[in-house]
Amino acid sequence: MQRKFITVEGCEGVGKSTQLRLLKDYFEEHGIDAVFTREPGGTPVAERIRAILLDKKLQVSPEVEAALFACARMEHINNLILPSLKQGKVVVCDRYIDSSLAYQGVARNLGIDNVYEINAYARDNCMPELTIFIDMDPANSWRKKNGTVILNDRMEGESQEFHAACYRGYKEMAKREPERIISIVPDEEKYETHRAIIATLKDKGII
Ligand code: TYD
């Protein structure tokens, strides 16, 4: 049976959460047995690591940041992702290794290859069958268009340049791994984007 691990990636404020909600509704309506999870997080230990990573009051070096994301990921893989895949479920994860490659690898300047090394466990044991990249420059995000920029956490509070670098990181990853990473340019009409995502999942034999 084909393993069905899907990740959804994109910069802040590009409508990723809305699309995940629509996808969850679609799976429920169609009786598709799926687990929706997110990173960093997904297990009690990983949620604790998340709290450190997103705490605005803490300063964390890029190396430690990358390592903590990778540790949270290892926890998530062993305790939720792989067991769910073994039960034949579809696993949909909101952010995964490509967030580390884009944010820590490119925006934090650690280098994509180095961050892949830090994530060797995920790379060797649990790569997604499909990654949907919501391809929108954060400078044009829906949130900015609507005029409200909410800086909730440590990563969101980073500069515009930082988020532009994340976007460049994603574009580079999409170029490096075109089989796995499918870019979808979001439409202002959210159902259009949703339909494009469903078409991609069908095309890849996930649903
Ligand atoms: P979250 O509130 O979950 O972001 P969003 O709603 O945008 O998905 O916060 C996660 C933040 O952590 C987000 O800014 C992206 C960042 N991140 C990394 O820098 N590296 C990673 O490996 C992951 C998974 C997330």
Side-chain angles (χ1 to χ4, degrees), residues 10-13 16-17 38-40 50 54 65 69 73 94-97 99-101 103-104 143 153 155-156 162-163:
C11 295
E12 327 273 326
K16 183 164 58 64
S17 306
R38 66 159 183 196
E39 287 208 344
R50 176 188 177 89
L54 299 186
E65 185 178 280
F69 276 115
R73 183 159 301 130
D94 178 357
R95 299 192 178 281
Y96 190 66
I97 194 166
S99 283
S100 286
L101 299 166
Y103 283 67
Q104 282 67 53
R143 194 192 286 169
D153 61 48
M155 308 299 289
E156 283 188 339
F162 177 87
H163 291 289

Side-chain angles (χ1 to χ4, degrees), residues 27-100:
F27 279 17
E28 275 166 18
E29 275 162 27
H30 290 77
I32 299 168
D33 196 6
V35 171
F36 280 74
T37 185
R38 66 159 183 196
E39 287 208 344
T43 73
V45 170
E47 289 291 333
R48 293 267 191 110
I49 299 173
R50 176 188 177 89
I52 297 174
L53 280 163
L54 299 186
D55 189 339
K56 270 190 286 197
K57 296 190 294 294
L58 297 178
Q59 294 217 321
V60 186
S61 73
E63 291 79 6
V64 170
E65 185 178 280
L68 284 175
F69 276 115
C71 280
R73 183 159 301 130
M74 217 185 279
E75 242 291 305
H76 196 199
I77 291 169
N78 288 338
N79 294 304
L80 184 71
I81 300 175
L82 288 180
S84 304
L85 291 170
K86 279 204 190 94
Q87 290 167 11
K89 294 181 180 167
V90 180
V91 175
V92 181
C93 192
D94 178 357
R95 299 192 178 281
Y96 190 66
I97 194 166
D98 298 292
S99 283
S100 286

Side-chain angles (χ1 to χ4, degrees), residues 136-152:
M136 187 183 201
D137 187 328
N140 305 323
S141 75
W142 306 138
R143 194 192 286 169
K144 290 227 172 83
K145 278 189 185 162
N146 294 335
T148 40
V149 182
I150 308 156
L151 305 178
N152 286 319

Side-chain angles (χ1 to χ4, degrees), residues 62-198:
E63 291 79 6
V64 170
E65 185 178 280
L68 284 175
F69 276 115
C71 280
R73 183 159 301 130
M74 217 185 279
E75 242 291 305
H76 196 199
I77 291 169
N78 288 338
N79 294 304
L80 184 71
I81 300 175
L82 288 180
S84 304
L85 291 170
K86 279 204 190 94
Q87 290 167 11
K89 294 181 180 167
V90 180
V91 175
V92 181
C93 192
D94 178 357
R95 299 192 178 281
Y96 190 66
I97 194 166
D98 298 292
S99 283
S100 286
L101 299 166
Y103 283 67
Q104 282 67 53
V106 176
R108 294 277 195 237
N109 251 319
L110 292 177
I112 288 178
D113 294 332
N114 291 330
V115 174
Y116 240 135
E117 269 317 305
I118 294 170
N119 282 276
Y121 190 80
R123 182 194 61 196
D124 298 344
N125 297 288
C126 193
M127 282 304 281
E129 275 59 57
L130 169 67
T131 297
I132 302 275
F133 166 47
I134 301 189
D135 182 352
M136 187 183 201
D137 187 328
N140 305 323
S141 75
W142 306 138
R143 194 192 286 169
K144 290 227 172 83
K145 278 189 185 162
N146 294 335
T148 40
V149 182
I150 308 156
L151 305 178
N152 286 319
D153 61 48
R154 203 170 61 81
M155 308 299 289
E156 283 188 339
E158 287 291 344
S159 67
Q160 209 162 336
E161 174 45 38
F162 177 87
H163 291 289
C166 294
Y167 183 62
R168 284 200 304 277
Y170 277 130
K171 295 294 269 186
E172 170 63 24
M173 283 312 301
K175 212 185 301 165
R176 283 194 189 196
E177 299 189 33
E179 283 293 308
R180 174 175 68 85
I181 304 177
I182 303 298
S183 301
I184 293 185
V185 175
D187 192 277
E188 195 141 11
E189 166 46 48
K190 65 184 178 194
Y191 292 105
E192 275 300 317
T193 313
H194 173 64
R195 276 190 284 276
I197 292 174
I198 296 297

